Amino acid sequence: MAATAGAYEKLKLHITPEKFYVEACDDGANDVLAIDRVSTEVTLTVKKDVPPSAVTRPIYGILGTIRLVAGNYLIVITKKKKVGECFSHAVWKATDFDILSYKKTMLHLTDIQLQDNKAFLAMLSHVLNVDGFYFSTTYDLTHTLQRLANTSPEFQEMSLLERADPRFVWNGHLLREFAAQPEIHRFALPVMHGFIAMHSCSINGKYFDWLLISRRSCFRAGVRYYVRGIDSEGHAANFVETEQIVHYNGSKASFVQTRGSIPFFWSQRPNLKYKPKPQISKVVNHMDGFQRHFDSQIISYGKQMIVNLVNQKGSEKPLEQTFAKMVNSLGNGMVRYIAFDFHKECSRMRWDRLQLLMDQLAEQQDEFSYFLVDSDGKVVTQQEGIFRSNCMDCLDRTNVIQSLLARRSLQAQLQRLGVLHVGQRIEEQAQFEKIYKNAWADNANACAKQYAGTGALKTDYTRTGKRTQWGLIMDGWNSLIRYYKNNFSDGFRQDAIDLFLGNYSVDEVESVSPLHIQKDWKFLALPIIMVVAFSMCIICLLMAGDTWTETLAYVLFWGTASFGTLAIIFYNGRDFVDAPKLVQKEKMD
């Protein structure tokens, strides 16, 4: 299902002081994109217009343009790595980027503007350095097989940019100027963010391609603790569509699942505590956003089976109760709900108990079926509904359940296609099972790095089918790093995503930059007092006084001072964390 006119694959960038020229080097192409570095105008020209004095380098795609304090910037892909072939279309991962300034000098900026510009550039670089940007110049990666099969002839004629699903085009904002000019669409490359694995596999001597594609939504995107729940449009935080595809002898089968934050208005702002208490908003009408969310899900995917994996006690309990109550109030036969307390059921390493949940979902899964198209292109079955899984972060627990549901679907697909014999189980195919488990664990890691800042937890189970002691140690380490990042670097990460996706636009004439927010005095004073007091406490212990009572008095005094200060810091936890500065909208409250 390629677009008739894909995007150009072979590009050369020619740079002169006045213009950027992007030359299409595909066979038979004569197009050159000229970007005026002064007027910022984008026009189409031909090869003979490129001055011979231009500095030339190969590039692999244009990510788009963005305005910062110093003016406009062009972002290009400078390195790519082949992931594999999707129905003989090459799929690439973008591995390196360049951010090029239209302006030739920075002399027009004040010191503060220079500082801000540098900060914004660092934000863009941060987003681009997060692994997981994928593209194809001839295939539409943003749509599932089922969506591509149900399209009109007009859709087939569209450029990749026009036909892409806007939820999954991460450079949509950066390409907005290109979108307005259809004649330059072949230079515009929609890029998705998430994870793709492609493997050629063999079972019983039968060769088939197995693909796993996770598409991360760019609506309500962000980092773990700053973006929870939904927005007023009904977009859920950390929303990811995961599609598993099998291609055998010309037949294609696909099974799609989604994950997304619990879809009402709640927040869980960092406050230095290991696990901040989730707060359900008391001032908004949850039903509006909730209904919008599920209306759009039903249009996209059909029936909804919610699998809620949060704890049913402690701080997560109110979220589970509210979710169940709201599905009830919605009273929509297309939306069903099941809650499974993952941590309680699988406590003390009893991971075999996940089979209880699989058994509960089996009938529903058979009813939803999967998408299947035969070698003649005839649709045999459609997927009628979807499993929408969530835990708190929609990362670790969610991924484990998704990999089990996907395996059950794959078992049915491979039997139907004649790859597996009757009575054979995927679990018994050691070679394939290893590929399968590792790909799903890699998927978990990619989604976790993009949302929480570290690799996923519980991947030892996904990789090996067993929970190991080493896995527990690695989970502890990742949890520590998550704690640090969530409290001390996530504000910057959230700002970076908001800038990249266009939720925040840099304004030329902005007199006061949002990046310069004065910190309260206590922010600096209290940590210094605590360190001094703690140091004095240690010194008093090491350099004993004349009598033990004197030593004890000093130690108690300085010890109380350091713990008292620590208590004050924790009490005012929110003032000490790295909070986002650019977007103060409902995602913040």
Side-chain angles (χ1 to χ4, degrees), residues 307-321:
V307 184
N308 187 0
L309 304 167
V310 302
N311 299 345
Q312 289 170 28
K313 61 176 204 301
S315 65
E316 297 180 12
K317 183 182 176 181
L319 292 169
E320 192 280 313
Q321 290 173 323

Side-chain angles (χ1 to χ4, degrees), residues 517-532 565 568-569 572 575-577:
I517 298 167
Q518 280 300 308
K519 285 283 188 190
D520 196 4
W521 65 268
K522 67 180 175 225
F523 183 81
L524 292 168
L526 287 171
I528 294 169
I529 295 168
M530 190 191 89
V531 170
V532 170
T565 323
I568 295 169
I569 289 173
N572 295 289
D575 297 336
F576 289 88
V577 298

Side-chain angles (χ1 to χ4, degrees), residues 8-287:
Y8 288 123
E9 184 170 356
K10 300 186 180 77
L11 300 171
K12 272 188 192 152
L13 174 65
H14 308 280
I15 303 175
T16 70
E18 294 76 37
K19 290 186 178 178
F20 295 124
Y21 295 95
V22 182
E23 177 193 349
C25 302
D26 295 29
D27 295 342
N30 192 34
D31 283 353
V32 173
L33 190 71
I35 302 172
D36 193 305
R37 295 175 67 172
V38 182
S39 73
T40 75
E41 194 184 4
V42 182
T43 50
L44 205 53
T45 172
V46 287
K47 298 195 179 188
K48 65 176 194 325
D49 289 348
V50 179
S53 60
V55 179
T56 301
R57 56 191 277 200
I59 58 168
Y60 299 106
I62 299 174
L63 208 63
T65 61
I66 191 167
R67 156 159 219 105
L68 300 181
V69 185
N72 275 29
Y73 283 81
L74 173 70
I75 308 177
V76 294
I77 300 169
T78 54
K79 280 190 193 148
K80 64 177 182 177
K81 185 174 138 207
K82 190 164 181 180
V83 184
E85 303 247 327
C86 185
F87 318 124
S88 59
H89 298 284
V91 174
W92 305 90
K93 181 191 234 181
T95 54
D96 214 351
F97 305 86
D98 216 344
I99 306 171
L100 307 164
S101 173
Y102 284 32
K103 293 275 198 293
K104 292 171 281 298
T105 91
M106 297 287 158
L107 296 172
H108 59 294
L109 300 182
T110 64
D111 282 354
I112 287 185
Q113 285 176 318
L114 258 176
Q115 232 180 329
D116 283 358
N117 202 62
K118 215 168 151 185
F120 288 133
L121 281 170
M123 287 177 191
L124 291 179
S125 297
H126 174 81
V127 175
L128 295 171
N129 283 332
V130 175
D131 204 23
F133 288 101
Y134 298 88
F135 66 92
S136 169
T137 55
T138 55
Y139 184 79
D140 189 347
L141 285 173
T142 64
H143 286 294
T144 62
L145 289 190
Q146 184 158 315
R147 285 202 291 271
L148 287 175
N150 295 328
T151 55
S152 62
E154 295 83 58
F155 181 87
Q156 305 302 327
E157 298 297 312
M158 290 178 181
S159 66
L160 281 176
L161 181 62
E162 285 171 296
R163 49 184 269 172
D165 187 328
R167 294 178 299 167
F168 305 125
V169 181
W170 267 64
N171 56 337
H173 169 69
L174 302 177
L175 287 176
R176 68 203 179 288
E177 287 179 28
F178 286 48
Q181 294 173 258
E183 72 277 9
I184 62 172
H185 276 191
R186 292 194 70 182
F187 286 97
L189 190 63
V191 174
M192 63 156 263
H193 195 215
F195 176 76
I196 300 182
M198 299 180 162
H199 295 280
S200 289
C201 311
S202 155
I203 292 178
N204 297 329
K206 293 170 182 169
Y207 288 86
F208 61 94
D209 290 328
W210 179 79
L211 288 72
L212 187 61
I213 303 177
S214 277
R215 307 173 177 100
R216 166 173 293 283
S217 172
C218 57
F219 298 136
R220 197 160 174 76
V223 298
R224 186 188 187 200
Y225 281 144
Y226 284 113
V227 180
R228 294 294 210 195
I230 51 170
D231 61 18
S232 53
E233 303 291 307
H235 299 304
N238 196 19
F239 184 86
V240 181
E241 171 188 276
T242 301
E243 179 176 26
Q244 174 179 271
I245 298 171
V246 176
H247 185 207
Y248 173 66
N249 265 356
S251 293
K252 301 169 199 166
S254 131
F255 178 66
V256 180
Q257 305 179 67
T258 58
R259 63 175 79 183
S261 193
I262 296 176
F264 44 81
F265 299 95
W266 63 285
S267 59
Q268 196 178 12
R269 300 287 303 279
N271 57 7
L272 295 181
K273 294 195 171 73
Y274 178 68
K275 207 172 163 190
K277 195 171 178 223
Q279 309 283 336
I280 299 172
S281 171
K282 295 184 174 65
V283 292
V284 292
N285 178 356
H286 292 282
M287 210 58 199

Side-chain angles (χ1 to χ4, degrees), residues 147 292-302 304 334:
R147 285 202 291 271
R292 274 191 188 156
H293 176 73
F294 281 108
D295 285 349
S296 71
Q297 294 305 297
I298 290 166
I299 291 166
S300 297
Y301 306 107
Q304 301 285 306
M334 299 282 277

